[in-house]
Amino acid sequence: DAKTTQPPSMDCAEGRAANLPCNHSTISGNEYVYWYRQIHSQGPQYIIHGLKNNETNEMASLIITEDRKSSTLILPHATLRDTAVYYCIVRANAGNNRKLIWGLGTSLAVNP
Amino acid sequence: KAGVTQTPRYLIKTRGQQVTLSCSPISGHRSVSWYQQTPGQGLQFLFEYFSETQRNKGNFPGRFSGRQFSNSRSEMNVSTLELGDSALYLCASSLAWGRTSTDTQYFGPGTRLTVL
């Protein structure tokens, strides 16, 4: 079973920030939080990951709470091309727990 | 740097046949994982290979098998196809296995298998 919970769907206006929440209350100390997105019928695209510090790259920012039980993916200026299913996954980077266990994700619709 | 490539992109087979799918990882990546995606079950892990050895395995029947070659390219095989095997099969590559530092998996476009 997936170790994360996400809202099934969200809407966002084009040009505005999209804030996608994720709960991972059972996360272990050695597990990272990964975010991927999947545009219809394509392979998942890696977005960002983090362990306990906030992270930012050219695509998004990742805010992880101090207790690491939840996180938020922020797309600062959403465009129509950001419409996709966003998956939040917790994963260890070594051993038998390194496989990605996928939940249902959040279907983000960016509206003009 | 070229991304993960998968061949073929689309495949149609009939029940009882077998199929082989191929995956070429990103240059320099030595670990390859396979996933199955269906509308009903979502994305599910099949297996992971590193240095030509299976390191992790998901909960799939023995009809699903894989292997990895010395150049890190990987194949997966499904024998005695069933209608329920119709799915998008995704391959992901990463640098290594068993590392404690970050090791992100990057996905290919997938192979769409239809079983009639």
Side-chain angles (χ1 to χ4, degrees):
Chain A
D1 291 342
K3 298 176 68 173
T4 62
T5 55
Q6 300 176 252
S9 63
M10 293 182 64
D11 287 313
C12 177
E14 188 177 21
R16 304 296 295 269
N19 298 308
L20 291 87
C22 179
N23 287 321
H24 32 79
S25 58
T26 61
I27 191 170
S28 301
N30 66 339
E31 288 181 321
Y32 290 76
V33 179
Y34 279 82
W35 283 83
Y36 286 82
R37 71 181 182 185
Q38 188 174 27
I39 297 169
H40 183 63
S41 293
Q42 298 181 20
Q45 179 188 22
Y46 164 76
I47 301 173
I48 199 168
H49 73 279
L51 184 62
K52 51 187 173 182
N53 297 321
N54 297 338
E55 302 287 344
T56 295
N57 63 19
E58 65 278 3
M59 288 183 68
S61 295
L62 174 60
I63 308 298
I64 302 174
T65 58
E66 194 169 340
D67 62 7
R68 302 211 320 127
K69 293 186 177 183
S70 65
S71 61
T72 300
L73 178 75
I74 301 172
L75 307 178
H77 306 287
T79 71
L80 299 179
R81 285 182 291 183
D82 292 323
T83 293
V85 178
Y86 287 76
Y87 295 95
C88 168
I89 302 165
V90 296
R91 190 200 90 162
N93 273 342
N96 293 334
N97 290 327
R98 80 182 239 114
K99 59 182 178 286
L100 295 169
I101 300 176
W102 303 75
L104 299 178
T106 295
S107 179
L108 175 67
V110 180
N111 303 310
Chain B
K1 190 183 272 192
V4 178
T5 58
Q6 293 187 243
T7 56
R9 293 292 312 279
Y10 302 91
L11 204 49
I12 299 175
K13 292 285 188 179
T14 57
R15 281 181 299 173
Q17 288 188 308
Q18 74 164 14
V19 66
T20 299
L21 311 181
S22 180
C23 172
S24 293
I26 292 170
S27 178
H29 284 195
R30 298 173 61 197
S31 177
V32 173
S33 297
W34 288 89
Y35 295 84
Q36 181 197 63
Q37 185 174 28
T38 60
Q41 298 294 324
L43 277 144
Q44 292 188 291
F45 172 75
L46 280 157
F47 26 66
E48 179 177 19
Y49 286 86
F50 175 71
S51 291
E52 303 175 64
T53 302
Q54 189 179 90
R55 304 290 178 158
N56 258 319
K57 189 177 188 305
N59 296 323
F60 279 81
R63 300 186 296 108
F64 292 81
S65 63
R67 59 178 176 169
Q68 186 181 35
F69 302 95
S70 58
N71 63 357
S72 296
R73 190 177 68 85
S74 177
E75 289 180 347
M76 69 162 282
N77 184 277
V78 187
S79 62
T80 320
L81 284 166
E82 301 176 359
L83 295 179
D85 297 332
S86 294
L88 181 66
Y89 289 89
L90 293 157
C91 166
S93 79
S94 59
L95 275 172
W97 183 88
R99 292 176 57 172
T100 56
S101 57
T102 58
D103 189 20
T104 301
Q105 294 187 9
Y106 296 91
F107 284 81
T111 294
R112 173 74 63 183
L113 172 65
T114 301
V115 182
L116 302 176

